[in-house]
Amino acid sequence: MARFPKKVAIIGLDCAQPARVDQYAKEGYLPNIKKMIEGGVFAENCLVPYPTVTPPNWTTIVTGAWPGTHGITDFHVHRPGDPLDRVHQGFTTEDCRAEYIWESLDKAGKKVIVFNYPTSWPPKARNGIVVGGAGLTPNEWRVGDDLPGVRSKVGFCSEQLVSTSVLPSSRKVEFKEAEGWENVPKSSGDEDLEGEFRLRIGSGKYKVDPPTWYLLVQDSAGKGYDRVTLSPTKNFKDAFFTISRGEWSKKVYTDIQIAKGEVKKVHFRGKLLELSDDAGDFRLYLSALGIEDDDYVYPAELSKEIHSEEGLMAFNGGYVAYALDLIDMDTYMEVQHFHDLWLGDVATYLLKNKPWDLFSMHFHAPDWFYHAAMTDLDPLTQPDPKRRERALNAERRMYQNIDEMIGRIMEVAGKDTLFMIVSDHGAVADGPPFNPYDALVPAGLAVLVDKMREWETGGNLADHAKYIVDWKKTKAYPQRDLYIYVNLKGRDPDGIVEPGDYDKVVQQIIDTLYDYKDSKNGKRVVSLALSKKDARILGLYGDCVGDVIYALDPIYGAQHGQQLPASGLGPGDQRSIMIMYGPGFKKGYRLTRTMWLTDIVPTICYIMNWPLPKDAEGAVVYQAFRDPNIIQGHIESLQKSLDSMEKALSRGERQPWDKHDCA
């Protein structure tokens, strides 16, 4: 192995937890990650900025800047001067005030590939490659003020179920005797049945007239209905697939007209989840329909090269269908595998065929999984040992899928590459929610008018975001995951608090939060409340944060976001995974000192002798190097070489690099 890396690959695993990954690696389930841990540096105390959520922390990783500096200070962003109840998702580079590492490398003539990295769109690496970045998966879009809550748009449409029952995110179908079908192979049993449905476009970014697809149900062996055919017409020769119970279809490609004269090729798979002998109970799962050749790629013409033989653009990896109880855990993990396979195929293609010095990518699978199953992993929240065992098996399987993809990337990237495996936060089991209005209203700091309609917030925000306040009587407004704003006159459009009373109201908010107790057990819910001035210790400051910042005791709130970076509960932990593997780094070393996500970019730039992004604030993790003074040694070696050249030239000796004599 070379003394210095030649390239760098940052592989992000959203929400991956260090202790869980370490355990599975030791047990032999994750051979590639085990190789990295045993041959590199495993940071046991890598902390993330607060809040412990996706957009700010992935931004910190590639800028080396704290959220207060780069400006993406939560999952949602509030622009100064906007009404306090107006926010948007923090996935656009237009909200980032700090320089990305790929910007500084771009200026230095280096080549970068940024793949499925949240908050990297629109592209800022003009001479590099950017695939996705406006959401959690390629061709998912969370950019724009027309996407309230956590809604997104996808190209082409999300997953769906076709069923004889009325189910969420589904199309109901009724079967009748089949008529008018052509080229149908003869079946052995009862009469063939047919049904039809219109494709559910849902969150698709293209406004289209949904096509009608047809189902043919057959009894192949005279023992009851046992197979289904999906087709865009009533001609069997046009069928997408024919499958039996529990079977996945092959990967299907089909053309769909999205505008007059414009057609997009989409891909998907189907799985027949249920088909009773009499066809009374029927459930067919269709994965998301993805468009590979679309406008989520820079340079745009590169999208024509993106392809995976078996993988799927599964925009939420099957998580939503599982959360709605439409599919079981096994099917969920299968969908996730298809999605990881797509990411792995595209990543390895780019690494093999495009020039690069820095490669940055992100897998979102762990985050989806922990949202779906973290509560089942914790004995405190899941007393059923069978459900815990099922969740443990799925967790292991989820990491195995990722480990396989990492192995493929390692092989293609080469042994002289520095690999950094990192996550943006961890997770704990769901706890009781905290509605700050429960504290603010009794204290006279806020006055509620009504609850907003669900569609106005997307139905996915915290409870407090669904309320309308009386702005003429409200002094304190809770916003996003962790902020409370003083409704300040002269700054906020509906402000009523005089600037001279600002500090008094801030202190009143803090006292109120600390005084609030859980009515069921008398326990204090808020573990920390700070003024904006004091919150600088958390990396939160400036005009993109609230006037009061608070954090919850880990037993309250959702899996992540409102718990402090070093907190944990049961098997869950909010710390980041951090593995450094490559030339110049120690082998089998457990780094126990505290490091932060802000330290990643400075450490990379130090070992690579790359220009540091101008807003980076982190430190170099010298303890990770085999030689903490490795760069000084490199400089001294270069100086000796230069001295030797100078002496040789002074003696008039011809040098090996001389191609011809100079006059």
Side-chain angles (χ1 to χ4, degrees):
M1 187 176 283
R3 189 180 182 199
F4 291 94
K6 295 180 180 178
K7 299 180 178 182
V8 177
I10 300 173
I11 301 177
L13 310 179
D14 204 292
C15 198
Q17 301 194 57
R20 313 292 294 171
V21 173
D22 194 24
Q23 174 187 337
Y24 289 134
K26 287 177 179 176
E27 293 172 352
Y29 293 108
L30 312 176
N32 297 300
I33 292 177
K34 181 179 181 181
K35 178 180 178 180
M36 286 186 171
I37 293 174
E38 293 181 347
V41 178
F42 185 88
E44 296 181 345
N45 293 291
C46 183
L47 302 185
V48 307
Y50 187 61
T52 46
V53 289
T54 292
N57 291 346
W58 287 117
T59 304
T60 289
I61 288 168
V62 290
T63 61
W66 293 97
T69 295
H70 61 61
I72 299 178
T73 53
D74 201 345
F75 196 95
H76 294 79
V77 172
H78 171 69
R79 293 188 177 122
D82 278 353
L84 291 177
D85 58 357
R86 181 182 299 170
V87 298
H88 62 274
Q89 296 181 68
F91 282 83
T92 172
T93 57
E94 294 171 356
D95 284 322
C96 182
R97 301 174 176 182
E99 185 177 51
Y100 295 91
I101 185 173
W102 42 75
E103 288 184 271
S104 60
L105 294 184
D106 211 32
K107 297 172 187 174
K110 303 294 183 181
K111 297 293 184 182
V112 301
I113 298 175
V114 185
F115 178 44
N116 193 34
Y117 196 97
T119 71
S120 63
W121 194 275
K124 290 199 172 183
R126 295 302 177 187
N127 296 308
I129 291 171
V130 181
V131 178
L136 303 175
T137 58
N139 215 359
E140 184 199 35
W141 302 86
R142 294 173 178 266
V143 175
D145 294 333
D146 60 336
L147 295 169
V150 293
R151 288 180 178 173
S152 65
K153 295 179 180 178
V154 299
F156 175 71
C157 69
S158 297
E159 62 191 341
Q160 56 199 282
L161 205 70
V162 184
S163 174
T164 48
S165 301
V166 177
L167 297 169
S169 299
S170 303
R171 290 298 196 204
K172 187 176 186 299
V173 65
E174 295 180 357
F175 291 125
K176 61 182 181 179
E177 185 176 335
E179 295 180 354
W181 283 77
E182 300 177 41
N183 301 305
V184 177
K186 191 174 179 71
S187 55
S188 302
D190 294 334
E191 293 292 332
D192 294 348
L193 301 178
E194 69 172 3
E196 64 182 62
F197 66 95
R198 298 189 78 193
L199 192 65
R200 185 176 180 274
I201 303 301
S203 58
K205 69 178 184 178
Y206 293 109
K207 302 300 181 183
V208 303
D209 184 23
T212 296
W213 287 353
Y214 300 90
L215 294 163
L216 181 69
V217 182
Q218 294 181 294
D219 175 358
S220 66
K223 298 179 180 179
Y225 292 106
D226 60 355
R227 70 183 182 189
V228 63
T229 298
L230 178 66
S231 177
T233 70
K234 285 191 174 185
N235 189 331
F236 197 87
K237 289 185 177 180
D238 297 333
F240 295 136
F241 55 74
T242 298
I243 52 177
S244 302
R245 279 187 293 263
E247 184 180 359
W248 278 99
S249 76
K250 67 183 186 304
K251 185 175 180 179
V252 174
Y253 284 92
T254 187
D255 291 337
I256 291 184
Q257 184 171 315
I258 63 169
K260 189 174 182 179
E262 186 176 3
V263 172
K264 288 287 188 181
K265 186 178 292 294
V266 304
H267 68 262
F268 69 99
R269 288 178 185 264
K271 183 179 182 180
L272 184 57
L273 301 175
E274 184 179 14
L275 178 60
S276 61
D277 292 347
D278 62 357
D281 297 315
F282 170 81
R283 287 185 301 135
L284 173 67
Y285 172 80
L286 299 180
S287 72
L289 275 66
I291 307 174
E292 291 175 323
D293 183 7
D294 210 5
D295 59 359
Y296 63 98
V297 180
Y298 178 88
E301 60 271 17
L302 179 61
S303 70
K304 299 184 183 303
E305 301 178 41
I306 289 178
H307 177 68
S308 171
E309 285 294 326
E310 301 293 331
L312 298 173
M313 296 176 79
F315 298 109
N316 57 63
Y319 159 63
V320 172
Y322 177 76
L324 292 174
D325 202 25
L326 301 178
I327 60 176
D328 59 18
M329 181 64 83
D330 285 340
T331 302
Y332 172 27
M333 289 296 101
E334 290 163 354
V335 177
Q336 190 62 71
H337 170 68
F338 288 133
H339 178 61
D340 289 344
L341 190 60
W342 189 92
L343 292 174
D345 286 346
V346 177
T348 51
Y349 174 83
L350 295 172
L351 290 169
K352 284 180 181 178
N353 296 282
K354 306 299 175 183
W356 62 280
D357 297 288
L358 172 70
F359 173 75
S360 302
M361 81 165 292
H362 150 273
F363 288 90
H364 204 75
D367 187 274
W368 289 321
F369 173 79
Y370 287 124
H371 279 298
M374 188 71 223
T375 301
D376 280 349
L377 289 169
D378 192 337
L380 293 175
T381 52
Q382 181 49 262
D384 184 348
K386 291 184 178 180
R387 286 184 67 92
R388 290 203 305 274
E389 185 63 26
R390 185 190 70 171
L392 281 168
N393 290 335
E395 181 187 40
R396 186 184 307 116
R397 186 173 171 185
M398 177 266 296
Y399 281 125
Q400 286 178 302
N401 285 342
I402 292 174
D403 184 77
E404 179 184 341
M405 297 304 105
I406 288 176
R408 294 176 59 195
I409 292 169
M410 289 175 67
E411 183 178 356
V412 173
K415 63 181 181 179
D416 291 336
T417 297
L418 166 61
F419 293 93
M420 305 193 91
I421 309 295
V422 63
S423 59
D424 56 335
H425 56 73
V428 295
D430 273 321
F434 168 60
N435 186 342
Y437 283 124
D438 290 342
L440 298 176
V441 170
L445 289 165
V447 176
L448 299 179
V449 175
D450 198 4
K451 191 170 184 178
M452 297 171 70
R453 289 167 291 180
E454 294 295 309
W455 64 266
E456 291 184 293
T457 61
N460 288 305
L461 290 181
D463 286 342
H464 67 79
K466 299 174 184 175
Y467 288 88
I468 298 174
V469 301
D470 184 340
W471 290 108
K472 294 180 179 180
K473 299 177 182 179
T474 295
K475 298 178 181 179
Y477 185 79
Q479 188 199 87
R480 298 178 279 168
D481 285 316
L482 67 156
Y483 299 116
I484 297 181
Y485 281 76
V486 173
N487 189 20
L488 190 63
K489 185 180 291 187
R491 182 193 67 181
D492 303 314
D494 299 298
I496 64 169
V497 175
E498 297 290 343
D501 293 331
Y502 174 83
D503 290 336
K504 182 177 69 175
V505 175
V506 165
Q507 190 58 51
Q508 189 179 358
I509 294 169
I510 292 172
D511 292 341
T512 298
L513 292 174
Y514 278 135
D515 288 342
Y516 180 76
K517 303 289 179 60
D518 186 333
S519 60
K520 294 182 179 179
N521 57 25
K523 185 178 178 62
R524 178 180 287 144
V525 175
V526 173
S527 62
L528 182 68
L530 296 171
S531 68
K532 179 194 295 190
K533 178 181 177 182
D534 292 336
R536 183 171 280 270
I537 64 172
L538 299 176
L540 295 172
Y541 41 83
D543 58 2
C544 292
V545 304
D547 299 298
V548 172
I549 290 87
Y550 67 92
L552 302 184
D553 184 291
I555 70 170
Y556 295 96
Q559 294 93 347
H560 59 88
Q562 296 175 301
Q563 299 85 19
L564 291 170
S567 65
L569 182 69
D573 197 316
Q574 294 296 352
R575 290 174 298 173
S576 165
I577 191 171
M578 186 68 241
I579 303 170
M580 295 168 272
Y581 172 81
F585 284 77
K586 292 177 180 177
K587 295 183 177 181
Y589 182 68
R590 296 273 168 162
L591 181 70
T592 58
R593 60 153 274 192
T594 300
M595 72 170 289
W596 294 85
L597 296 187
T598 50
D599 300 337
I600 294 172
V601 159
T603 301
I604 290 173
C605 291
Y606 178 81
I607 192 74
M608 299 299 294
N609 195 27
W610 284 349
L612 191 68
K614 62 183 178 64
D615 303 293
E617 298 168 301
V620 175
V621 185
Y622 294 99
Q623 293 85 349
F625 301 135
R626 281 185 289 179
D627 176 6
N629 298 307
I630 189 170
I631 298 299
Q632 182 60 37
H634 186 49
I635 293 172
E636 291 174 356
S637 176
L638 288 173
Q639 187 61 53
K640 287 180 181 178
S641 297
L642 290 171
D643 291 344
S644 176
M645 294 176 197
E646 187 176 349
K647 289 178 181 178
L649 288 170
S650 67
R651 294 193 296 267
E653 297 176 4
R654 183 182 177 90
Q655 297 301 308
W657 59 82
D658 288 337
K659 294 183 179 179
H660 52 77
D661 292 329
C662 296

